[in-house]
Amino acid sequence: MALDLGTEGRGHRIILVFLGCRKLVRYAEQNRSAQVDVAFCSVYTERLRIALRRFPPHHGQERAPMTAIAAFLRKTPVPRLQDYFTGSGFTSLAPVDWTRPESEVVEPLIKAVDDMNDDEKQRVVMNAGQVAALADEPGQNALQNVVIDRAVFDTLEGANNRSLWVFLNEPDQFRKAEEVRYNDERRRGRSWSGFEVEKDRAVRRDAVSVAAFTKAIRDRFATPHVHVDVFDRHRVILDDQECDLVQIAVYREGRPEDMLEFDANSTLSRRIVKPVFEAALTYEADTGVIEVVANTLEDRKDLTAFMARDLLGIVFDEKHIPLREYDLSMLLKPFDFPTDIEDGITGVTVKELRFMEVGERNERITLESMSGADRSVWEMAEKRIGLDIGGTGHVLPIATEVPEWVITRARFTIKFHPGASGGRGKSLTLKVTMPHGCSLKDMTPHERLIGEKYLRRWGILTDTADIGDLIE
């Protein structure tokens, strides 16, 4: 199976060649075709990627990955599963006695799902992938951003339970949560830009303004089909504070493409499809920042200009937000990493340093301290490259003078005490690259909060604005 979603900056361009799982593809493609016809549910492409990542079809088999499905069913409360299976119109599901104890329901349910016809079974695969994708911490935060009935949502126990409840009871909000996840996963990546505009503007949501914004996108991309969602959300920032945002999700139909597929006779053929591309914009009134995720820089600038004009009523001056600045000079000597007791940190270890000799811009030397090493990475640097760490002042025998070094990258690990359930404590690995690169963007919201707090505390993150880091 070959699955090429393209780079993040290309949106959801899909080219699929499936070997041995034609029925799964046929179901997915049929749904995708219907979605493209109404230029609405291009989220399908993301759902398909998530479903295939979490529940990948086995090569050479057409049966659903029942091991993964079984794990999903076991993690979800039976009453919520009952809501799903009895309300989804399945015709091939054998009768299930939902009144029996939970332990006596799950195993018969797994067998009943395994015996469903292929089309309905693959529908379960797709839905389970969607629900599971929002059952982790970023997904739960996305759901919490948009769910309407918080009184019920906050009382539900278990991530799968909450995710499936929103999927069933607030499907529009579930889709918005997927849009939030789409935006936040790509924030500060290669397909992301940020711009400063006027503060304290109200986002226009009236039909005339949204229609003008939609028309501008149609004209810019020469496409008849565009769908726009505008909704409120929030984002957690430092010290557990939240900032209020308005997010605009944009779906547009792309140019026709041909796609390889196998027909019912296992003959390789081509079919014309019209992919749908997704973009996302957020506006924070308190800071006057628009962040945009889209294909190219030109796309991002144009979408921001349309939003500024049609939804904010202002002129777009194309003022990029400043990049975060990092400083690793303090790591040229052994450094004591101060932490707060309440964060449960047992220690911080520098695992890797990359050095550049001043005047030698085309060469780098990387030193890595492996687990169980007898000396620190600074002691290694003192011995290997003659770094003056304030100790013995060891200099390499072959050197005529002590070279001057700068650190261009560092990797260190923050270790935590075990949780209440015991076991091994978690660890958080941070990688910082001079001058603007940091791995914070790839972490969960809680990990980003901890990472940002201490990068600032240690003097590594030197700016004061919560604008954000870019990839290196």
PDB file of all heavy atoms in Angstrom, residues 82 101 235 378:
ATOM      1  N   GLN A  82     -23.236   1.234  22.684  1.00  0.00           N
ATOM      2  CA  GLN A  82     -24.634   0.960  22.340  1.00  0.00           C
ATOM      3  C   GLN A  82     -25.236   2.142  21.580  1.00  0.00           C
ATOM      4  O   GLN A  82     -25.937   1.964  20.571  1.00  0.00           O
ATOM      5  CB  GLN A  82     -25.448   0.671  23.601  1.00  0.00           C
ATOM      6  CG  GLN A  82     -26.917   0.357  23.313  1.00  0.00           C
ATOM      7  CD  GLN A  82     -27.708   0.091  24.584  1.00  0.00           C
ATOM      8  OE1 GLN A  82     -27.177   0.196  25.692  1.00  0.00           O
ATOM      9  NE2 GLN A  82     -28.977  -0.257  24.442  1.00  0.00           N
ATOM     10  N   PRO A 101     -23.893  -7.742  31.737  1.00  0.00           N
ATOM     11  CA  PRO A 101     -22.737  -7.027  32.312  1.00  0.00           C
ATOM     12  C   PRO A 101     -21.719  -6.685  31.225  1.00  0.00           C
ATOM     13  O   PRO A 101     -21.595  -7.389  30.216  1.00  0.00           O
ATOM     14  CB  PRO A 101     -22.174  -8.037  33.317  1.00  0.00           C
ATOM     15  CG  PRO A 101     -23.331  -8.912  33.668  1.00  0.00           C
ATOM     16  CD  PRO A 101     -24.160  -9.015  32.425  1.00  0.00           C
ATOM     17  N   ARG A 235      -6.908  28.914  23.382  1.00  0.00           N
ATOM     18  CA  ARG A 235      -5.617  28.212  23.388  1.00  0.00           C
ATOM     19  C   ARG A 235      -4.974  28.440  24.737  1.00  0.00           C
ATOM     20  O   ARG A 235      -4.966  29.559  25.259  1.00  0.00           O
ATOM     21  CB  ARG A 235      -4.705  28.726  22.271  1.00  0.00           C
ATOM     22  CG  ARG A 235      -3.311  28.078  22.267  1.00  0.00           C
ATOM     23  CD  ARG A 235      -2.438  28.669  21.175  1.00  0.00           C
ATOM     24  NE  ARG A 235      -2.923  28.273  19.867  1.00  0.00           N
ATOM     25  CZ  ARG A 235      -3.048  29.104  18.831  1.00  0.00           C
ATOM     26  NH1 ARG A 235      -2.761  30.386  18.975  1.00  0.00           N
ATOM     27  NH2 ARG A 235      -3.475  28.666  17.672  1.00  0.00           N
ATOM     28  N   TRP A 378      29.918  17.986  28.953  1.00  0.00           N
ATOM     29  CA  TRP A 378      30.925  19.045  29.064  1.00  0.00           C
ATOM     30  C   TRP A 378      32.324  18.450  29.273  1.00  0.00           C
ATOM     31  O   TRP A 378      33.292  18.957  28.708  1.00  0.00           O
ATOM     32  CB  TRP A 378      30.581  19.970  30.230  1.00  0.00           C
ATOM     33  CG  TRP A 378      29.364  20.804  29.960  1.00  0.00           C
ATOM     34  CD1 TRP A 378      29.270  21.849  29.082  1.00  0.00           C
ATOM     35  CD2 TRP A 378      28.091  20.650  30.550  1.00  0.00           C
ATOM     36  NE1 TRP A 378      27.996  22.362  29.096  1.00  0.00           N
ATOM     37  CE2 TRP A 378      27.241  21.647  29.994  1.00  0.00           C
ATOM     38  CE3 TRP A 378      27.546  19.797  31.500  1.00  0.00           C
ATOM     39  CZ2 TRP A 378      25.916  21.800  30.352  1.00  0.00           C
ATOM     40  CZ3 TRP A 378      26.229  19.943  31.871  1.00  0.00           C
ATOM     41  CH2 TRP A 378      25.425  20.929  31.301  1.00  0.00           C
TER      42      TRP A 378
END
